[in-house]
């Protein structure tokens, strides 16, 4: 008789694992504690599921997040009661913002102990609810699997998102007779009726300055080809908004970049002239300091496509809201627009495609010319490293990017082109780049996976490198080390502008707390202490040998990339 069974049947520990196995779950990511000991003991005799141990909760949740992004399937995480959940809150907030399908379970001492205010007792559902799509607590063994399947369904149903289930130990210890059945997530492949598609198409036909704002709902619907086709037949600029995955090739002539990070006036400048706007798979606008007034033209027609009714018209009015699947809806619009456009409208759209593409190409070429001028500079520029890396990476490499202020240079030389090959933090928390790469490598062990992070951000979850070393997960890590919080310095310049200050009125220096260079962080030493070898890169001659060593190494490897951290100040 197995330890997860008693005379009259199986315990909840065993049945929970059987349910996960029935749903194809391969890994349980976690950091164990005393209230989950029975489950951890049981999994040691359950070969169908591997336990991936993390040394800290924020780090292991980010590893699971990377795995979920790379597979577009729910990743399951086990945390330890209130303190473990508390440590993971920031990473869960990030997962909610970027719509990652995570199922987080956390143990408690038991329902029977509710009245005792026992050690580590807390209302876990109340803690989890603000950072999850759904949160619940199992209080009866007869509904343990029922709630687990509900969580798996909720996480896997667009819009994806993290969910939470509290599993008290006495519920898991009890005999469980529930049937183990595969979870069924409902199909969300719905499209508006033809009359609505026709009405929206009529709006698109009349556009002189069309614009598409897209987000990760496009990738989650696998609608990248349909998005590109609509942009082409319409002749529309395309911007990413809360876009952390590959929703359109960054080399596409109509892709113009990302919006929505810090201040709303930045997005307003881009959308101000648009007369017809399609928003798809995202919301507007996700800045830290968004505008409280409508950034669009008063007469602009706004069409919002999403599978989340909450996001449609959440902040600003729309002309038409379509609660529908991006892939099918974009295809229907592109098909009807192709058929309905007049010859003059087709010519105008083609001319916009040509003009936008030429402008974008000139912008990239000019930027690359500036990069070439600093190729031999010390401190190094990211462009020097990225240009060399681009020559050596295999075509199917995956980038998990949290380089923040360096991503324009990085993606200029390594532009994301293929769905599933690029993941980027959209903001919300720091420290997702290195653990995210570990999760992506676990999902795609045969592909080269690189994770980029800043020096400050990497310290949020640096413990994740131990997990990579322990399980020999061969992700490669690049820490963009400039000795400071460069992003905060850039944002402070923008903040001073919002106060009405002119550049000659700016304070002469940044706050001392924006620098972390004294003492300097030895990332190679830190990595080696966690079992990961590394190399420091500080001058141009270091770049090629270090990249070659990193890519040839059989296992995880880290490069401490010493970069120029200067923040140019504007002039009057």
């Amino acid at each position: 008789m197995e330890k997860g069974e008693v005379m009259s049947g199986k315990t909840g520990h065993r049945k929970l694992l059987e349910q996960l196995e029935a749903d194809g779950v391969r890994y349980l990511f976690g950091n164990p504690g005393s209230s989950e000991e029975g489950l951890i003991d049981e999994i040691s005799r359950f070969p169908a599921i591997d336990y991936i141990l993390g040394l800290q909760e924020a780090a292991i949740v980010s590893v699971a997040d990377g795995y979920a992004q790379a597979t577009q399937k729910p990743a399951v995480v086990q945390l330890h009661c209130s303190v473990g959940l508390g440590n993971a809150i920031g990473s869960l907030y990030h997962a909610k913002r970027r719509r990652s399908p995570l199922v987080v379970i956390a143990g408690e001492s038991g329902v029977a102990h509710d009245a005792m205010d026992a050690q580590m007792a807390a209302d876990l559902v109340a803690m989890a609810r603000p950072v999850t799509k759904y949160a619940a607590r199992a209080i009866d063994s007869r509904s343990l699997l029922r709630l687990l399947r509900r969580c798996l369904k909720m996480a896997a149903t667009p819009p994806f998102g993290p969910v939470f289930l509290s599993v008290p130990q006495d519920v898991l210890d009890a005999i469980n007779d529930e049937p183990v059945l595969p979870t069924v997530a409902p199909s969300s492949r719905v499209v508006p009726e033809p009359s609505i598609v026709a009405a929206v198409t009529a709006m698109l036909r009349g556009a002189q300055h069309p614009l598409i704002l897209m987000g990760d709902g496009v990738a989650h619907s696998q609608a990248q080809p349909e998005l590109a086709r609509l942009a082409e037949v319409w002749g529309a600029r395309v911007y990413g908004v809360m876009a952390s995955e590959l929703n359109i090739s960054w080399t596409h002539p109509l892709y113009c970049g990302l919006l929505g990070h810090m201040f709303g006036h930045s997005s307003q400048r881009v959308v101000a002239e648009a007369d017809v706007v399609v928003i798809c798979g995202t919301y507007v606008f996700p800045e830290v300091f968004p505008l409280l007034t409508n950034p669009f033209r008063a007469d602009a027609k706004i069409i919002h496509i999403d599978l989340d009714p909450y996001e449609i018209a959440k902040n600003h009015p729309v002309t038409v809201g379509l609660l529908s699947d991006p892939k099918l809806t974009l295809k229907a619009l592109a098909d009807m627009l192709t058929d309905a456009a007049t010859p003059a409208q087709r010519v105008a759209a083609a001319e916009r495609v040509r003009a936008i593409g030429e402008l974008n190409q000139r912008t990239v070429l000019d930027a690359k010319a500036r990069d070439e001028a600093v190729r031999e500079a010390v401190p190094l520029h990211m462009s020097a490293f990225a240009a060399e890396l681009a020559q050596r990476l295999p075509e199917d490499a995956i980038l998990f990017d949290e380089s923040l202020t360096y991503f324009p240079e990085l993606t200029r030389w390594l532009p994301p082109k293929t769905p599933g090959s690029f993941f980027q933090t959209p903001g919300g928390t720091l420290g997702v780049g290195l653990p995210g790469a570990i999760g992506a490598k676990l999902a795609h062990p045969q592909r080269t996976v690189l994770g980029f992070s800043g020096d400050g951000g990497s310290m949020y979850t640096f413990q994740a490198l131990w997990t990579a070393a322990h399980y020999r997960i061969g992700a490669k890590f690049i820490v963009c080390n400039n000795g400071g919080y460069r992003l905060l310095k850039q944002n402070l310049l923008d903040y001073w502008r919002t106060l009405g200050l002119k550049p000659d009125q700016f304070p002469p220096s940044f706050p001392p707390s924006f620098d972390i260079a004294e003492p300097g962080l030895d990332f190679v030493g830190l990595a080696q202490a966690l079992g990961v070898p590394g190399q420091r890169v500080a001058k141009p001659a270091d770049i090629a040998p270090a990249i070659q060593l990193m890519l040839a190494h059989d296992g995880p490897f880290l490069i401490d990339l010493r970069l120029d951290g200067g923040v140019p100040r504007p002039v009057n």
Side-chain angles (χ1 to χ4, degrees):
M1 183 168 57
E2 297 190 30
K3 203 167 184 177
E5 304 178 17
V6 294
M7 290 295 294
S8 56
K10 298 178 181 179
T11 66
H13 303 288
R14 185 78 184 183
K15 296 296 283 289
L16 184 150
L17 295 174
E18 289 180 0
Q19 180 63 56
L20 295 180
E21 181 185 15
D23 284 312
V25 173
R26 179 71 180 84
Y27 300 105
L28 179 60
F29 302 87
N31 178 264
S34 53
S35 56
E36 301 83 34
E37 288 176 333
L39 180 62
I40 304 305
D41 182 44
E42 186 64 36
I43 201 172
S44 66
R45 292 178 301 280
F46 203 88
I49 298 175
D50 289 336
Y51 189 85
I52 304 296
L53 173 63
L55 301 184
Q56 204 271 351
E57 292 86 354
I60 197 62
V61 168
S62 294
V63 172
D65 193 344
Y67 182 83
Q69 291 179 53
T71 60
Q72 286 203 8
K73 295 178 181 179
V76 183
V77 184
Q78 168 269 317
L79 300 176
H80 174 47
C81 66
S82 56
V83 290
L85 177 59
N87 284 340
I89 289 294
S91 295
L92 287 174
Y93 178 86
H94 175 266
K96 183 181 181 183
R97 280 294 183 181
R98 73 156 314 283
R99 297 180 175 180
S100 295
L102 296 181
V103 176
V104 178
I105 60 175
E108 306 180 45
S109 59
V111 176
H113 298 109
D114 279 3
M116 304 303 293
D117 192 23
Q119 181 71 271
M120 295 182 287
D123 186 343
L124 302 189
V125 172
M127 290 176 64
R129 187 172 287 124
V131 294
T132 54
K133 182 180 176 183
Y134 172 79
R137 185 187 191 214
I139 58 174
D140 190 298
S141 62
R142 292 168 294 182
S143 287
L144 174 65
L145 301 192
R146 186 194 322 275
L147 287 170
L148 181 57
R149 284 193 295 270
R150 184 181 301 171
C151 286
L152 288 161
K153 178 200 71 172
M154 293 286 287
T157 302
F160 300 152
V163 299
F164 174 79
L165 180 62
S166 170
V167 286
Q169 186 155 299
D170 52 3
V171 174
L172 292 174
D173 284 341
I175 300 305
N176 190 298
D177 295 325
E178 288 182 279
V180 174
L181 304 167
T183 300
V184 177
S187 171
S188 57
R189 293 297 192 188
V190 293
V191 66
E193 61 185 8
S195 63
I196 296 176
V197 175
V200 171
T201 301
M203 298 179 196
L204 303 186
R205 287 179 55 198
Q208 301 296 314
H209 303 285
L211 176 67
I212 296 176
L213 304 175
M214 57 73 180
D216 288 336
V218 172
H220 297 166
S221 179
Q222 300 177 344
Q224 294 94 339
E226 290 76 15
L227 172 65
R229 180 164 171 255
L230 177 62
E232 290 160 5
V233 300
W234 196 25
R237 294 177 297 151
V238 180
Y239 283 88
V241 180
M242 206 67 181
S244 62
E245 299 190 27
L246 197 290
N247 299 300
I248 188 172
S249 171
W250 286 32
T251 60
H252 192 286
L254 295 173
Y255 177 69
C256 298
L258 298 173
L259 294 181
H261 170 61
M262 186 56 59
F263 295 100
H265 58 75
S266 299
S267 297
Q268 184 184 41
R269 285 196 294 266
V270 170
V271 307
E273 294 186 2
D275 54 353
V276 184
V277 181
V278 170
I279 305 167
C280 186
T282 189
Y283 74 97
V284 292
F285 279 99
E287 294 101 353
V288 178
F289 302 102
L291 291 179
L292 298 179
T293 56
N294 192 339
F296 298 104
R297 281 172 41 170
D299 63 342
K301 295 179 173 62
I302 312 296
I303 298 97
H304 198 157
I305 305 164
D306 207 318
L307 282 167
D308 188 349
Y310 174 72
E311 301 292 13
I312 296 174
K314 178 173 73 174
N315 291 327
H316 303 295
V318 302
T319 309
V320 178
L322 302 177
L323 186 64
S324 59
D325 173 58
K327 186 178 183 71
L328 297 184
T329 306
L330 293 172
K331 180 182 185 304
L333 290 173
D335 287 347
M336 191 169 287
L337 183 60
T338 299
D339 294 339
T342 66
Q345 289 168 342
R346 293 192 184 97
V347 170
E351 174 58 23
R352 289 194 295 268
V353 171
R354 183 198 62 78
I356 296 167
E358 287 183 357
L359 177 60
N360 287 339
Q361 185 179 37
R362 283 198 305 272
T363 300
V364 171
L365 292 176
D366 289 347
K368 283 190 169 183
R370 293 192 296 272
D371 291 342
E372 292 292 349
V374 295
R375 179 69 68 92
E376 300 299 320
V378 177
L380 290 171
H381 288 247
M382 170 59 84
S383 56
F385 182 84
E388 183 66 32
L389 184 62
Q391 299 300 314
R392 297 177 179 271
L393 276 185
E395 281 293 321
D396 66 345
I398 297 172
L399 298 186
F400 209 103
D401 175 37
E402 195 191 20
S403 60
L404 299 180
T405 61
Y406 296 107
F407 92 84
E409 295 172 69
L410 175 65
T411 55
R412 192 152 56 236
W413 293 93
L414 283 161
K417 301 175 184 178
T418 308
S421 66
F422 181 74
F423 304 93
Q424 185 180 52
T425 176
T429 191
L430 292 175
V432 300
L434 305 188
I438 297 171
K441 180 64 174 179
L442 194 62
H444 298 288
Q446 303 308 315
R447 297 172 67 177
T448 299
V449 180
L450 285 79
F452 288 80
S453 187
D455 47 0
S458 69
M459 292 303 296
Y460 283 46
T461 55
F462 208 77
Q463 305 95 324
L465 268 67
W466 180 91
T467 298
H470 183 67
Y471 296 102
R472 293 199 57 78
I473 302 169
K476 314 301 180 183
F477 311 109
I478 296 93
V479 176
C480 305
N481 186 354
N482 57 37
Y485 296 149
R486 190 173 186 235
L487 180 61
L488 293 184
K489 295 176 183 179
Q490 291 184 352
N491 289 342
L492 187 55
L493 294 178
D494 281 341
Y495 174 68
W496 287 335
R497 289 190 189 96
T498 67
L499 297 179
L501 298 178
K502 296 180 179 179
D504 60 2
Q505 297 173 312
F506 288 180
S509 61
F510 295 109
S513 56
F514 287 4
D515 290 314
I516 58 173
E518 294 295 337
L521 293 167
D522 179 5
F523 287 102
V524 172
L526 289 170
Q528 289 174 342
L530 295 169
V532 175
Q535 183 89 12
R536 181 175 294 119
V537 173
K539 56 184 185 295
D542 299 339
I543 295 175
I547 291 175
Q548 184 176 1
L549 181 62
M550 174 183 71
L551 296 178
H553 180 71
D554 182 18
F557 192 94
L558 178 138
I559 286 180
D560 178 359
L561 183 60
R562 301 299 179 96
L563 292 172
D564 178 27
V567 178
R569 286 173 171 256
V571 295
N572 284 332

